[in-house]
């Protein structure tokens, strides 16, 4: 019933703002902010989420096995995030507090910026329309451009590009569920023609009245580079007061190497063997 009313609201909105123009009718698409508002309206009010998941890094060659890392992430809505990852003899801590972040790799403060793969959490952390709009604009998404797109037989609102153009930063929102389906981030201009990062949110499940994607895939072109397999979602976990305190973390982990500049882009591609030999580079 809720989904039926939701669809009816979308249809009614479309009729109200559909322009009266002569000639053949064209498919009407809601504007980007309207789609984001619909998505935000169905979000439950929460303090936070804790998610247990496995990060799988896939090799560029079938001869090299994939590598797996156990990861626990915590969302404190609306603007705080923490990831603790461990495996293959390495550890990584990544914390976001409002518009600032830091990354600690194997006990060393290595960066104060985020990599492109870290951005998957933006669509899950920023649940309000205005906040999400601001972050999408920072990623280069043009909110004035919308279209309909199709992925695996599902129709989506495409914000930031005219489907089937995949060259621009864009976010896809499932037309029926109004849940995030896809985030596409083109490679940096100086990345020597590397393909865009294509993040896909799949297998959405409702757990304790909270919707969350239990499978997140990261593609570079046609190659599956990594994936997140979720095993547990807990609502409103108890957290210590300084859990997201960046100043405290900076004091604790004194940098022994220079932090990455904001303009530095994360490396792309590379097989798992290289990842295991140089763990930090795959994330920094």
């Amino acid at each position: 019933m809720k989904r039926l009313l939701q669809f009816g609201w979308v249809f009614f909105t479309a009729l109200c703002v559909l322009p009266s123009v002569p000639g053949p009718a064209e498919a009407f698409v809601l504007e980007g902010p309207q789609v984001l508002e619909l998505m935000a309206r169905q979000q439950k009010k929460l303090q936070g989420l804790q998610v247990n998941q496995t990060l799988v890094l896939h090799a560029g060659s079938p001869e090299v096995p994939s590598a797996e890392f156990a990861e626990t992430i915590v969302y404190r809505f609306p603007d705080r995030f923490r990831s603790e990852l461990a495996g293959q003899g390495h550890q990584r801590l990544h914390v976001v507090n409002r518009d600032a972040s830091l990354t600690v790799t194997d006990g060393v403060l290595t960066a104060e910026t985020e990599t492109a793969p870290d951005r998957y959490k933006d669509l899950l952390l920023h649940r309000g329309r205005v906040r999400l709009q601001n972050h999408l604009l920072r990623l280069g998404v043009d909110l004035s451009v919308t279209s309909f797109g199709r992925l695996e037989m599902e129709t989506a609102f495409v914000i930031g590009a005219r489907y089937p153009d995949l060259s621009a930063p864009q976010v896809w929102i499932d037309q029926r569920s109004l849940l995030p389906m896809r985030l596409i981030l083109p490679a940096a201009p100086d990345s020597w023609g590397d393909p865009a990062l294509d993040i896909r949110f799949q297998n959405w499940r409702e757990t304790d009245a909270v919707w969350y994607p239990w499978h997140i895939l990261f593609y570079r072109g046609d190659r599956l580079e990594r994936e997140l397999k979720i095993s547990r979602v807990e609502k409103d976990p108890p957290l210590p007061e300084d859990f997201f305190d960046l100043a405290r973390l900076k004091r604790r982990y004194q940098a022994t190497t220079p932090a990455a500049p904001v303009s530095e882009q994360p490396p792309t591609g590379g097989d798992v063997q290289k990842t295991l030999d140089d763990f930090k580079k795959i994330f920094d």
Side-chain angles (χ1 to χ4, degrees):
M1 183 65 181
K2 179 181 178 181
R3 296 294 182 192
L4 182 61
L5 292 174
Q6 193 175 74
F7 176 79
W9 195 93
V10 173
F11 183 72
F12 176 76
T13 303
L15 290 178
C16 289
V17 297
L18 181 66
S20 299
V21 294
E26 296 182 359
F28 174 81
V29 187
L30 294 174
E31 296 180 355
Q34 291 177 311
V35 177
L36 297 179
E37 177 65 26
L38 290 175
M39 185 177 74
R41 284 189 179 190
Q42 69 170 1
Q43 301 284 358
K44 301 290 185 180
K45 290 186 177 181
L46 301 170
Q47 288 187 344
L49 282 179
Q50 178 171 302
V51 179
N52 296 336
Q53 59 193 26
T54 299
L55 168 65
V56 182
L57 296 180
H58 291 286
S61 168
E63 288 77 23
V64 181
S66 300
E68 296 189 359
F69 302 84
E71 184 176 17
T72 299
I73 62 174
V74 178
Y75 301 89
R76 175 64 75 187
F77 303 114
D79 54 11
R80 300 179 186 185
F81 174 85
R82 178 171 173 138
S83 161
E84 297 182 15
L85 180 145
Q88 309 294 335
H90 297 281
Q91 295 181 336
R92 179 182 188 257
L93 170 66
H94 179 65
V95 183
V96 176
N97 191 327
R98 296 183 174 85
D99 295 326
S101 69
L102 63 77
T103 301
V104 176
T105 306
D106 291 338
V108 177
L109 178 61
T110 54
E112 295 183 51
T113 184
E114 295 193 85
T115 67
D118 289 325
R119 292 298 181 180
Y120 82 90
K121 61 98 176 64
D122 288 0
L123 298 184
L124 307 173
L125 174 63
H126 305 296
R127 299 160 68 87
R129 177 185 62 81
V130 175
R131 186 174 295 277
L132 182 55
Q133 278 185 199
N134 292 337
H135 277 266
L136 291 178
L137 288 171
R138 292 177 187 176
L139 294 178
V141 178
D142 186 347
L143 300 180
S144 68
V145 178
T146 57
S147 61
F148 284 121
R150 290 185 67 81
L151 177 66
E152 299 176 354
M153 304 304 295
E154 296 293 334
T155 303
F157 295 105
V158 179
I159 305 174
R162 300 290 183 189
Y163 180 80
D165 177 18
L166 301 180
S167 64
Q170 56 196 271
V171 60
W172 291 39
I173 307 299
D174 187 280
Q175 185 186 21
R176 292 187 300 174
S177 68
L178 294 174
L179 294 170
M181 178 188 291
R182 195 177 193 186
L183 176 63
I184 298 178
L185 301 174
D190 59 352
S191 59
W192 301 95
D194 285 337
L197 178 63
D198 184 352
I199 306 174
R200 303 180 187 182
F201 303 85
Q202 299 183 354
N203 193 16
W204 284 87
R205 301 183 195 174
E206 187 177 23
T207 304
D208 198 13
V210 177
W211 285 93
Y212 197 85
W214 283 59
H215 197 193
I216 305 175
L217 302 97
F218 301 73
Y219 285 88
R220 292 280 185 184
D222 296 329
R223 186 175 78 84
L224 179 61
E225 183 178 80
R226 64 182 70 189
E227 57 185 313
L228 293 172
K229 298 180 179 180
I230 284 71
S231 57
R232 185 170 181 267
V233 176
E234 178 186 355
K235 183 173 68 173
D236 297 333
L239 301 172
E241 290 291 332
D242 59 356
F243 201 60
F244 305 94
D245 190 336
L246 297 186
R248 183 187 67 84
L249 290 170
K250 285 183 182 181
R251 291 192 299 268
R252 179 178 177 183
Y253 299 103
Q254 295 298 321
T256 59
T257 57
V262 175
S263 61
E264 181 177 295
Q265 296 296 321
T268 59
D271 58 30
V272 173
Q273 188 60 51
K274 180 180 179 181
T275 303
L276 300 181
D277 293 339
D278 197 352
F279 177 75
K280 290 179 290 187
K281 290 183 180 179
I282 197 64
F283 295 104
D284 293 347

